[in-house]
Amino acid sequence: MLIVKKFGGTSVGNKERILNVAKRCIEDYEKGNDVVVVLSAMGKMTDDLIKMAKDINPNPSKREMDMLLTTGEQTSVALMAMAMNALGVPAVSLNAFQVAMHTTHAYSNARIKRIDTDRVNNELEQRKIVIITGFQGVDRNENYTTLGRGGSDTTAVALAAALNADSCEIYTDVDGVYTADPRKVENAKKLKEITYDEMLEMATLGAGVLHNRSVELAKKHGVQLVVRSSLTKEEGTVVKERVARGKSEISGVAGDDDAARIAILGLEDTPGVAFKVFNVLAKKNVNIDIILQSVGEPGKKDISFTVKQEDAELAVNTLRDYMSEDDYRDIDVTTNVAKVSIVGRGLKDHAGMAARMFEALYEAGVNIRMISTSEIRVTVIVEEKDMVKAMNAAHDAFEL
Ligand code: ASP
Ligand code: MG
């Protein structure tokens, strides 16, 4: 069997943890398997590197930023190879350049295009454990790129697909995917299985367990994932195309307090207004989440939408710059809002799921500011102070 194992930053945060990971990989190796290991930077090293950069230059070039951040993962893989060697096992570390992990040119947010497998296969044939840097790639001009925060998961899945691996295991500091964040919802339970689509919604909603692009890629290539803890031997959660689900139509509840709501009041009620607003925002790369348009005073309309908190200022400044003062009456920004979502395949086949959520929130005394739905998700915007209460109410209502 060829096994790809990915370990996150906390799993390789210090010497003991590195040795623990080395031993777990060696167990598989000694059973005769080929083992490829993908690592993140140790502990908070990526955050620390970002701080160092900003301290020297508040506005560092994106190229140099990626050049700097790739050193985090390079540190982990080299130390891991040394650890395995110390335990008497042949191992070799490779960075994105040495593997040849080809990505697009978009610094800090590159996408993997193609991975050369010759070097890796060659090393595996020599019965070495191959340890590869996560999160990084190389563009057409041989510049280092990175895949976005949390991107090592995506490296692991892309490698599993390229190498045709038999299994892809993502090790983190939690023991699987839960019905909700256990720190916020006490009754949260670990899921045995979850579909790619549900996981993708959960990851995008900020569940934080997997990089959302890694789930997209796993679905595309049919790579079955196992999410489990590096610190215990518990079984973890399997992410795959289809799952057998018991009584619940909902698989989880997500909460995300990194949201800001922007309302543009008193816009002209004529064609092209929404286009104008969202076109200027798109040009500035502001990612829009939930959009609501409503009727305002006679002949007027209001448009509200949510963005990540860090984008709120840019969004408002952009709108003020590009629209003239008689285009609207006022722009209002609220940062103390949060998103609460329920996710599940059952939503598309069962009527009344959204109503059940709204009833639970009503009973908990939570006011809903905005609503948005997809085939397998219902999201509401609530006040930030109500987020945890709303998550618990929804979780209880669906008896998760
Ligand atoms: N080290 C990178 C980060 O902190 C990538 C990863 O951990 O997946 O975002
Ligand atoms: Mg991660």
Side-chain angles (χ1 to χ4, degrees):
M1 283 230 299
L2 169 57
I3 307 175
V4 174
K5 299 165 93 72
K6 181 261 168 178
F7 295 87
T10 34
S11 303
V12 292
N14 57 37
K15 177 180 153 194
E16 284 67 37
R17 297 239 169 125
I18 290 177
L19 284 165
N20 163 57
V21 167
K23 284 182 194 142
R24 275 189 96 135
C25 297
I26 290 172
E27 269 175 39
D28 282 330
Y29 171 83
E30 286 182 337
K31 287 182 195 146
N33 299 302
D34 287 331
V35 180
V36 172
V37 184
V38 175
L39 299 182
S40 293
M42 293 170 69
K44 296 255 164 276
M45 184 156 173
T46 307
D47 292 324
D48 293 342
L49 289 170
I50 293 173
K51 274 190 214 123
M52 282 169 75
K54 298 260 153 110
D55 188 36
I56 248 173
N57 179 343
N59 213 347
S61 104
K62 289 200 154 196
R63 180 192 182 276
E64 299 311 330
M65 205 59 208
D66 280 1
M67 189 70 186
L68 178 70
L69 295 189
T70 51
T71 63
E73 273 65 19
Q74 198 159 316
T75 306
S76 312
V77 293
L79 289 173
M80 184 61 71
M82 293 175 195
M84 289 180 182
N85 291 161
L87 294 166
V89 173
V92 61
S93 65
L94 298 175
N95 68 13
F97 200 90
Q98 294 165 321
V99 172
M101 192 104 57
H102 305 273
T103 70
T104 59
H105 175 66
Y107 293 124
S108 82
N109 194 26
R111 283 179 183 255
I112 297 175
K113 291 203 298 197
R114 184 171 51 85
I115 298 178
D116 296 347
T117 51
D118 288 357
R119 175 77 190 263
V120 179
N121 280 326
N122 221 321
E123 303 286 359
L124 288 172
E125 269 160 34
Q126 297 172 44
R127 280 300 286 154
K128 287 185 204 157
I129 296 183
V130 183
I131 309 156
I132 300 174
T133 48
F135 178 55
Q136 57 180 255
V138 183
D139 77 2
R140 195 173 355 127
N141 302 317
E142 303 193 331
N143 295 300
Y144 277 109
T145 57
T146 62
L147 308 180
R149 297 305 305 269
S152 297
D153 298 337
T154 301
T155 309
V157 173
L159 270 166
L163 295 166
N164 230 324
D166 298 285
S167 109
C168 183
E169 305 164 0
I170 310 284
Y171 289 83
T172 103
D173 49 350
V174 293
D175 55 5
V177 181
Y178 277 71
T179 51
D181 183 342
R183 285 165 303 188
K184 303 204 173 80
V185 177
E186 212 186 303
N187 295 331
K189 293 179 196 68
K190 190 170 77 190
L191 292 160
K192 259 185 124 69
E193 312 179 309
I194 184 166
T195 65
Y196 293 126
D197 292 334
E198 291 169 326
M199 191 64 234
L200 193 57
E201 292 279 9
M202 298 280 269
T204 311
L205 293 166
V209 218
L210 284 175
H211 192 227
N212 62 354
R213 220 172 267 161
S214 72
V215 186
E216 251 167 44
L217 209 61
K219 179 179 164 72
K220 184 166 162 205
H221 296 286
V223 175
Q224 187 165 311
L225 302 178
V226 185
V227 180
R228 53 189 299 193
S229 164
S230 62
L231 304 170
T232 69
K233 293 267 170 170
E234 296 223 15
E235 261 184 27
T237 304
V238 178
V239 189
K240 56 187 193 176
E241 185 62 41
R242 264 181 248 303
V243 305
R245 179 72 28 86
K247 63 176 167 49
S248 186
E249 295 86 8
I250 302 299
S251 59
V253 175
D256 181 2
D257 57 12
D258 180 14
R261 173 178 168 275
I262 296 172
I264 319 169
L265 306 170
L267 286 156
E268 206 61 45
D269 191 13
T270 49
V273 172
F275 167 67
K276 191 169 171 189
V277 167
F278 293 111
N279 191 40
V280 295
L281 294 171
K283 287 210 173 112
K284 289 281 179 178
N285 278 323
V286 177
N287 273 319
I288 310 293
D289 198 16
I290 299 173
I291 301 176
L292 189 77
Q293 176 172 306
S294 50
V295 181
E297 296 144 28
K300 302 282 176 187
K301 61 184 168 195
D302 302 337
I303 290 180
S304 359
F305 57 91
T306 62
V307 294
K308 282 194 165 299
Q309 259 171 35
E310 61 184 28
D311 284 345
E313 202 183 308
L314 174 64
V316 172
N317 291 342
T318 304
L319 291 169
R320 292 219 162 100
D321 281 356
Y322 283 82
M323 296 201 309
S324 84
E325 288 209 7
D326 1 298
D327 284 347
Y328 60 94
R329 180 166 53 75
D330 202 6
I331 296 180
D332 175 59
V333 191
T334 331
T335 48
N336 57 351
V337 293
K339 281 195 293 189
V340 174
S341 311
I342 53 171
V343 174
R345 293 163 307 135
L347 280 167
K348 57 171 184 260
D349 307 320
H350 298 266
M353 292 288 135
R356 203 198 292 182
M357 177 189 194
F358 302 153
E359 181 184 15
L361 298 187
Y362 161 63
E363 276 167 4
V366 174
N367 188 30
I368 300 173
R369 311 268 295 257
M370 290 164 100
I371 300 171
S372 122
T373 62
S374 82
E375 243 195 355
I376 60 165
R377 173 183 56 78
V378 179
T379 299
V380 297
I381 296 290
V382 299
E383 274 183 49
E384 197 171 295
K385 67 168 177 42
D386 287 338
M387 183 179 85
V388 171
K389 188 160 61 162
M391 287 173 73
N392 278 280
H395 197 269
D396 288 346
F398 291 100
E399 295 169 33
L400 295 177

